[in-house]
Amino acid sequence: GKGSPKVRMIEAVESAKGGPTGTNGLGNIVVLDRKDNSDSTRAVRDGFADTVYGADANGAVWRFDLLDTADTISTPVFTTATRTESNMVYRQPITGGLVATAGEGGGVMLMFGTGSFSFVNDKADETTQSLYGFTDRFTTPTTTVTRDKLQPFTVAASASGTSRQVTAGTRPTGALGWYLDLPKGERFVGYPDVVAGVVFMPTYAALTETVGCGTDGKNWVFGLDARSGAAALSSVRVGSPAGKGYDAGTGAVSLDTGGTAPVKDVAVS
């Protein structure tokens, strides 16, 4: 085709004080077509990418507007939970994938989880990690959504130990999404998938005691209502439409994979 294509670099550096410092890196991205590229005021798909979301190891989710001429952005659209350790500030890292759906009020709903299983000491990391879903409302200027604006959920094991119940906490006024804190030592390092309004999210609980040099751990898959975060596996059937179902309130089940390495992808139809 005609034109003068060029490579652009858009740098994302937080301007707010008190956040994490040190080495960072942008992980997986999701690319959207939200606007008419010839008239960015029109929310009409035209077949061309114009919005990119990416998340980093410092727990920030960024929105890159490809129709904007700016080469730097300084305000993330979301940041994960923060903790201080040895006078250093850390956030829950985002190393897995993101998935996007239509959000309320013309916004974009993004779902992802936190945690890492890429580095030597990750196996022993027992800091709390979470699953998140939030709506980017495209405020001007950009404002950062934090978890105090999200509906909390808690998870508890069933008597069998092979499934989990998910229960809602107190919903904040003007909630922009939801979050669920995972059990100790569990993390999300895979890729979420949305099918029929349910977001499926694989998680992995590494065992700190292992034999040999292999990876030991247990895999789970969460099935949550993409919009509300509520347990949604009761609407799922295993194997076929007439297959096994799950009890009301079931939000996660263990995966018998025949192995102990992390499951990163979910195939649901």
Side-chain angles (χ1 to χ4, degrees):
K2 298 181 180 180
S4 302
K6 65 177 182 178
V7 177
R8 274 181 70 197
M9 183 181 78
I10 304 176
E11 189 173 18
V13 179
E14 289 187 63
S15 59
K17 304 295 184 181
T21 58
T23 304
N24 193 11
L26 196 68
N28 294 290
I29 64 172
V30 59
V31 182
L32 305 178
D33 169 21
R34 297 189 65 255
K35 304 176 184 177
D36 181 348
N37 284 16
S38 62
D39 181 1
S40 61
T41 64
R42 299 179 66 234
V44 178
R45 295 179 181 176
D46 60 1
F48 296 95
D50 50 57
T51 305
V52 177
Y53 288 95
D56 67 29
N58 279 343
V61 179
W62 300 90
R63 181 195 340 119
F64 300 89
D65 184 350
L66 303 185
L67 301 184
D68 196 320
T69 58
D71 290 329
T72 61
I73 55 176
S74 58
T75 305
V77 293
F78 185 86
T79 54
T80 60
T82 300
R83 77 179 197 280
T84 301
E85 185 177 310
S86 300
N87 295 320
M88 296 288 290
V89 176
Y90 299 93
R91 289 199 202 107
Q92 297 167 309
I94 306 170
T95 62
L98 304 92
V99 66
T101 64
E104 296 180 359
V108 172
M109 183 100 184
L110 290 163
M111 284 150 283
F112 56 94
T114 69
S116 176
F117 200 66
S118 302
F119 305 101
V120 173
N121 295 325
D122 283 349
K123 182 174 67 174
D125 181 14
E126 294 186 334
T127 57
T128 299
Q129 305 300 331
S130 308
L131 305 180
Y132 289 101
F134 81 97
T135 298
D136 178 18
R137 290 282 183 87
F138 289 83
T139 56
T140 303
T142 299
T143 56
T144 303
V145 178
T146 53
R147 57 189 269 148
D148 62 303
K149 291 293 186 182
L150 307 180
Q151 162 87 62
F153 285 86
T154 57
V155 60
S158 66
S160 67
T162 59
S163 65
R164 292 169 169 171
Q165 298 293 110
V166 170
T167 305
T170 303
R171 179 181 175 87
T173 302
L176 294 174
W178 51 266
Y179 74 88
L180 181 151
D181 287 338
L182 296 171
K184 182 180 179 180
E186 195 164 328
R187 67 211 70 195
F188 175 89
V189 293
Y191 302 95
D193 191 19
V194 176
V195 179
V198 178
V199 58
F200 294 91
M201 309 180 79
T203 62
Y204 183 67
L207 300 179
T208 56
E209 299 293 332
T210 60
V211 178
C213 58
T215 299
D216 286 330
K218 188 171 184 178
N219 287 283
W220 294 81
V221 62
F222 281 80
L224 307 172
D225 184 285
R227 175 170 288 187
S228 70
L233 284 181
S234 61
S235 65
V236 174
R237 296 296 177 267
V238 179
S240 72
K244 171 190 172 184
Y246 297 103
D247 294 337
T250 302
V253 292
S254 61
L255 295 178
D256 182 6
T257 64
T260 57
V263 169
K264 292 195 172 184
D265 292 291
V266 181
V268 182
S269 60

